[in-house]
């Protein structure tokens, strides 16, 4: 294998130098103008440093005992929402992801499933949580529906992309035996995408737990509601304890998913 001995300029998207300079200057002007519209209150920012220091002190001296009943209840809700929404979301994502794969699904089914994925991915979780809270009231049920809906968009999208990128030779070999559509999916598609699907499911479990601490702020239950209450009451030591619990659980999930992916590969 030979390596180039001279440097070559990479291909340029905009070949006209004057147009490129004009675009760069225009972007710089737009960036400065955008910063000017932020309307930063420097006095309030200066006063906020004292609150930031108090919050940091509470994080360094966490209080796990004063509000442990509320913390444990919120943690239980978050873990319940995380597990159930991931299981249900992955179960619903599998048929949607298969239907969204262009190489194995009919055109109408592909368009319908891709539309479901697009809708799920277009709306951020906290907006969905507000919608479900308005429909079903405060509590973990709204959080469960929110995380399930978000899981479908995440898992089904990546699963469909993996199916479209799989080795077609294995698919054609199974089809050549006279296998039907379900047999092709079971014996040609599933062995190639299953390790990736399991890894994505564990990764989504991690994401759902972190999101459960965010959507709780709008009333969807979980540890996020407890964290929001602690911050509103200026109980920064309890808030620090909750953040430490969230960090530890996310780290455990991260290392666990990494080990599981290595084991499956």
């Amino acid at each position: 294998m030979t390596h180039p001995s001279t440097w070559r300029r990479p291909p340029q998207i905009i070949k006209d130098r004057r147009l490129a300079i004009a675009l760069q200057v225009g972007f710089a002007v737009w960036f400065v103008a955008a910063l000017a519209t932020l309307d930063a209150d420097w006095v309030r920012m200066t006063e906020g440093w004292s609150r930031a220091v108090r919050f940091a002190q509470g994080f360094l001296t966490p209080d796990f005992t004063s509000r442990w009943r509320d913390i444990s209840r919120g943690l239980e809700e978050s873990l319940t929402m995380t597990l159930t929404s991931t299981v249900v979301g992955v179960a619903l994502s599998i048929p949607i992801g298969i239907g969204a794969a262009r190489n194995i699904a009919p055109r109408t089914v592909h368009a319908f499933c891709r539309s479901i994925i697009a809708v799920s991915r277009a709306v951020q979780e906290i907006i969905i949580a507000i919608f479900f809270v308005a429909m079903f009231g405060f509590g973990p049920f709204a959080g469960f529906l929110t995380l399930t809906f978000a899981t479908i968009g995440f898992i089904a999208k990546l699963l469909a992309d993996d199916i479209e990128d799989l080795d077609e030779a294995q698919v054609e070999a199974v089809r050549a035996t006279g296998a039907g559509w379900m047999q092709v999916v079971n014996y040609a598609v599933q062995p190639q995408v299953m390790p990736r699907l399991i890894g994505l499911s564990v990764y989504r479990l991690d994401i759902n737990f972190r999101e459960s601490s965010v959507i709780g702020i709008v009333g969807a239950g979980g540890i996020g509601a407890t964290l929001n209450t602690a911050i509103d009451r200026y109980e920064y030591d309890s808030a620090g304890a909750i953040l430490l619990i969230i960090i530890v659980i996310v780290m455990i999930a991260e290392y666990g998913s990494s080990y599981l992916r290595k084991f499956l590969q």
Side-chain angles (χ1 to χ4, degrees):
M1 181 177 179
T2 60
H3 298 278
S5 57
T6 58
W7 179 82
R8 291 180 57 189
R9 184 182 181 86
Q12 302 295 306
I13 299 176
I14 302 175
K15 297 182 179 180
D16 190 338
R17 180 176 177 82
R18 291 174 297 178
L19 178 59
I21 294 175
L23 289 175
Q24 293 173 6
V25 173
F27 176 79
V29 172
W30 171 84
F31 182 73
V32 173
L35 289 177
T37 62
L38 294 179
D39 193 20
D41 189 345
W42 299 104
V43 176
R44 183 177 178 84
M45 291 177 63
T46 304
E47 295 174 350
W49 279 108
S50 60
R51 290 189 292 270
V53 170
R54 292 201 304 271
F55 185 83
Q57 290 174 347
F59 189 81
L60 296 175
T61 58
D63 181 9
F64 294 91
T65 58
S66 298
R67 295 178 56 84
W68 176 248
R69 179 176 298 180
D70 295 334
I71 293 174
S72 60
R73 184 171 62 248
L75 183 60
E76 181 182 356
E77 288 183 355
S78 280
L79 292 175
T80 302
M81 287 192 303
T82 298
L83 181 61
T84 54
S85 63
T86 302
V87 172
V88 175
V90 171
L92 295 175
S93 298
I94 292 174
I96 295 175
I98 293 174
R102 184 181 295 104
N103 55 340
I104 63 171
R107 181 174 299 178
T108 55
V109 176
H110 168 264
F112 176 72
C113 292
R114 281 288 177 177
S115 299
I116 296 176
I117 295 173
V119 172
S120 176
R121 289 169 53 82
V123 188
Q124 214 276 338
E125 282 87 345
I126 197 166
I127 305 299
I128 303 173
I130 294 173
F131 176 74
F132 283 128
V133 167
M135 287 183 61
F136 303 107
F138 297 100
F141 183 65
F144 160 75
L145 293 176
T146 299
L147 296 177
T148 300
F149 187 72
T151 299
I152 293 174
F154 179 85
I155 297 292
K157 169 69 166 60
L158 296 178
L159 177 61
D161 291 346
D162 286 341
I163 294 175
E164 290 179 349
D165 294 336
L166 54 74
D167 184 9
E168 290 291 343
Q170 186 172 340
V171 177
E172 294 300 327
V174 175
R175 282 176 178 164
T177 64
W181 185 84
M182 283 298 298
Q183 292 173 315
V184 170
V185 172
N186 190 33
Y187 294 105
V189 176
Q190 181 264 133
Q192 297 188 63
V193 301
M194 182 58 71
R196 171 75 168 165
L197 176 61
I198 295 176
L200 289 173
S201 300
V202 177
Y203 181 49
R204 186 65 209 187
L205 185 73
D206 172 17
I207 295 175
N208 281 345
F209 179 77
R210 287 187 280 114
E211 290 295 335
S212 71
S213 63
V214 176
I215 62 177
I217 297 176
V218 296
I223 195 67
T226 310
L227 175 62
N228 188 45
T229 301
I231 294 176
D232 288 342
R233 295 178 178 179
Y234 301 102
E235 297 174 351
Y236 295 129
D237 48 358
S238 297
I242 295 171
L243 289 175
L244 286 174
I245 292 174
I246 294 173
I247 291 172
V248 169
I249 294 179
V250 170
M251 289 180 63
I252 293 174
E254 177 66 23
Y255 287 115
S257 62
S258 299
Y259 173 79
L260 183 59
R261 285 194 294 268
K262 290 180 181 179
F263 177 77
L264 292 173
Q265 292 173 355

